[in-house]
Amino acid sequence: MAGAFAKLGNDLYTGARSVPFVGARRIWYSIAIALMLLAVATPFIRGGGDFGAGFNFGIEFRGGSQFQVLEIDTQGADSTELQDRAEEAVQSVVPNAVVRSSTLGDDAVRAQTDQLEEAEQREVRQALADEFSVDIDDVSASFIGATWGADVTGQALWGLAIFLGLAAIVLGIYFRTWKMSLAALIALAHDLVITVGVYAATGFEITPAAVIGFLTILGFSLYDTVVVFDKIRENTSEMGSESTRTFGETVNWAANQTLVRSINTGVVAALPVAAILFIGSFLLGADTLRDISLALLVGTIIGTYSTPFIAAPLYADLRHGEEEIKRGDKRTLALREKAVAA
């Protein structure tokens, strides 16, 4: 298996085999557009026409009441049972409340719900204390206002805008061409939209930890794109009057040469993140681990795929209309026809 993979990598590097990233770009563009439309439509459908309602925002974004029960004697109960007991305790006071619960470590549980009146908060604290047989002082209650949540949302959007702005400037300076910068940013937008769509489809909570995950995957996606674009720049700079490849074929060759490296990097990055997601979701019930690891896992997979399938063909398309490129391609095709005729 390892030998076959190594041979495949060698064939891709030398050009003996080739994946048609540029040649079949219309297929890859169609798939990307379909996935992005689905990602945008999902929250509309889940929210009944309200885009924002289609996401499961954490209490930090929407505001609400939060309760934490500490020093619980779990007596062998698993995290699901503890969460169910917490939800039932809250709903015994507020029957129609939508409760989100999670365990914290080995002996604590957290319950979040919409904003409650002060009297209701006191009753919920007492109900939780009775349910878990702890002193009421071991049940803390806090309230996060909608204004604070709006501030967090605004800061998250500002952080994203600043990140994209700085990335565009740095990429433009590094590659000395805005076309590589534009292709990389479109691939980034593709990664972000699909990752957010996965959150809407799965109903996972969007918390500050998830936002950190979103920003992290943008960094990973950019890193992968920069490595591939470096190879594209190296190959295209060596094109001369005797070149046997057109500009698009040279871009495609560079994407193939770096394909195995991109896959290896993606797998190495995705495996520990998948382990964290499994442990956070099923073993520990740790929400923060789960929130950040889902964004990282989806983003790593999408980011690895988007560089050769989206960013590289886009760059070839953006340069395709340049006079110098057209003259070079025409010369290469003429030499090829001449060689075939001989």
Side-chain angles (χ1 to χ4, degrees):
M1 182 68 182
F5 193 66
K7 185 176 185 310
L8 174 63
N10 186 62
D11 288 349
L12 292 172
Y13 194 85
T14 59
R17 294 191 198 182
S18 178
V19 180
F21 296 118
V22 175
R25 59 189 181 281
R26 288 185 177 80
I27 296 175
W28 316 133
Y29 292 164
S30 299
I31 294 172
I33 291 170
L35 290 175
M36 291 175 72
L37 289 176
L38 182 63
V40 173
T42 299
F44 270 112
I45 296 170
R46 283 181 57 90
D50 184 344
F51 186 77
F55 294 101
N56 181 15
F57 288 107
I59 192 173
E60 296 86 354
F61 291 101
R62 56 183 164 75
S65 297
Q66 175 173 286
F67 303 89
Q68 289 190 18
V69 189
L70 308 176
E71 306 294 338
I72 296 173
D73 182 5
T74 58
Q75 297 179 342
D78 59 24
S79 60
T80 302
E81 184 180 340
L82 294 175
Q83 291 169 29
D84 289 343
R85 289 169 59 188
E87 291 174 14
E88 289 171 4
V90 176
Q91 288 172 340
S92 69
V93 178
V94 190
N96 296 323
V98 177
V99 185
R100 297 177 177 84
S101 62
S102 58
T103 52
L104 304 172
D106 297 329
D107 62 351
V109 64
R110 180 179 64 191
Q112 297 176 333
T113 186
D114 295 334
Q115 180 182 354
L116 302 180
E117 299 293 334
E118 190 171 338
E120 290 176 322
Q121 287 198 31
R122 286 196 300 270
E123 292 181 42
V124 169
R125 285 184 67 199
Q126 186 62 58
L128 287 167
D130 294 341
E131 175 62 35
F132 292 102
S133 301
V134 298
D135 191 271
I136 194 167
D137 291 335
D138 291 325
V139 182
S140 64
S142 58
F143 165 69
I144 297 176
T147 303
W148 191 83
D151 289 343
V152 172
T153 303
Q155 289 177 12
L157 293 175
W158 268 111
L160 177 62
I162 292 171
F163 176 89
L164 294 176
L166 289 175
I169 294 171
V170 171
L171 286 173
I173 294 173
Y174 179 75
F175 289 118
R176 296 186 290 279
T177 167
W178 62 269
K179 294 182 178 178
M180 275 191 171
S181 179
L182 179 60
L185 289 177
I186 292 174
L188 271 185
H190 163 272
D191 300 345
L192 185 62
V193 168
I194 292 178
T195 304
V196 173
V198 170
Y199 267 78
T202 58
F204 270 53
E205 249 188 358
I206 296 181
T207 63
V211 173
I212 293 171
F214 295 155
L215 295 177
T216 305
I217 61 169
L218 295 182
F220 172 84
S221 180
L222 266 185
Y223 165 75
D224 193 57
T225 304
V226 166
V227 172
V228 176
F229 277 8
D230 259 340
K231 190 62 181 171
I232 291 174
R233 185 172 60 171
E234 177 187 330
N235 287 5
T236 54
S237 67
E238 294 172 352
M239 293 177 68
S241 59
E242 300 300 320
S243 177
T244 58
R245 291 186 173 90
T246 64
F247 183 80
E249 290 168 346
T250 305
V251 171
N252 193 70
W253 183 37
N256 275 276
Q257 285 181 307
T258 52
L259 181 60
V260 170
R261 188 214 62 83
S262 292
I263 293 173
N264 285 339
T265 304
V267 169
V268 169
L271 283 179
V273 173
I276 293 172
L277 178 61
F278 176 78
I279 293 170
S281 298
F282 301 106
L283 299 184
L284 299 181
D287 288 355
T288 302
L289 283 179
R290 186 189 60 193
D291 296 342
I292 195 170
S293 57
L294 178 66
L296 291 175
L297 180 63
V298 175
T300 300
I301 296 170
I302 299 296
T304 302
Y305 139 80
S306 70
T307 299
F309 285 93
I310 306 298
L314 272 176
Y315 176 63
D317 269 338
L318 289 171
R319 296 287 306 275
H320 182 70
E322 295 179 12
E323 286 302 321
E324 184 182 353
I325 299 296
K326 288 197 286 189
R327 282 197 302 271
D329 287 353
K330 188 176 179 180
R331 183 171 57 240
T332 299
L333 293 173
L335 287 173
R336 194 177 295 173
E337 288 178 5
K338 187 177 178 181
V340 171

